[in-house]
Amino acid sequence: MPLCQVFTNVSVAAPVPRDALLSELSRMLSRHFDKPERWVMTCLVPEVAMTFGGSSAPTAFVVVRNVGTMKPEETAALSRDVCAHLEAAIGVPRDRIYIEFGDGREHLWGWNGGTFA
């Protein structure tokens, strides 16, 4: 049920770096949420027209959602890990990344023709 979407103005066209980035984010969410990786979804949307602080230098907006309630210490740890990974993998400095965390309620999260309620 964990989902991580990365929107960035950086080009990540080559399949190997793109797949490695998504795979590592998937493993990371699995570990942080203590859920099997088979439930984790990752998404990368590169080359988005975007700015941060009035500049079009490399930047990213990340959305992390999960069914359940995330605690402040969990989001802090995940923010640290996601920012470090994006900085290393695609060169977006941590101070140019925003992350939005969202708790999902079971009846508002659908899968396989039903919901998790």
Side-chain angles (χ1 to χ4, degrees):
M1 297 148 283
L3 166 67
C4 181
Q5 300 168 291
V6 177
F7 301 87
T8 182
N9 59 354
V10 172
S11 175
V12 190
V16 172
R18 183 181 59 226
D19 292 348
L21 169 67
L22 292 172
S23 292
E24 178 53 32
L25 287 171
S26 181
R27 286 188 295 276
M28 185 183 303
L29 264 66
S30 175
R31 283 191 313 268
H32 276 275
F33 292 117
D34 195 29
K35 293 187 177 174
E37 193 174 358
R38 72 179 291 264
W39 294 110
V40 178
M41 180 181 282
T42 57
C43 174
L44 174 64
V45 184
E47 299 183 54
V48 175
M50 59 192 302
T51 64
F52 185 101
S55 167
S56 60
T59 191
F61 174 65
V62 181
V63 178
V64 176
R65 299 191 192 284
N66 184 47
V67 172
T69 303
M70 290 181 257
K71 297 177 178 74
E73 59 274 10
E74 293 170 333
T75 56
L78 192 52
S79 179
R80 181 189 64 242
D81 289 352
V82 167
C83 286
H85 184 63
L86 291 179
E87 187 171 47
I90 61 173
V92 176
R94 317 166 187 240
D95 65 350
R96 294 189 53 80
I97 300 170
Y98 274 157
I99 303 175
E100 176 187 0
F101 295 98
D103 292 331
R105 296 182 358 198
E106 290 85 357
H107 70 282
L108 297 176
W109 200 273
W111 173 74
N112 197 22
T115 67
F116 286 99

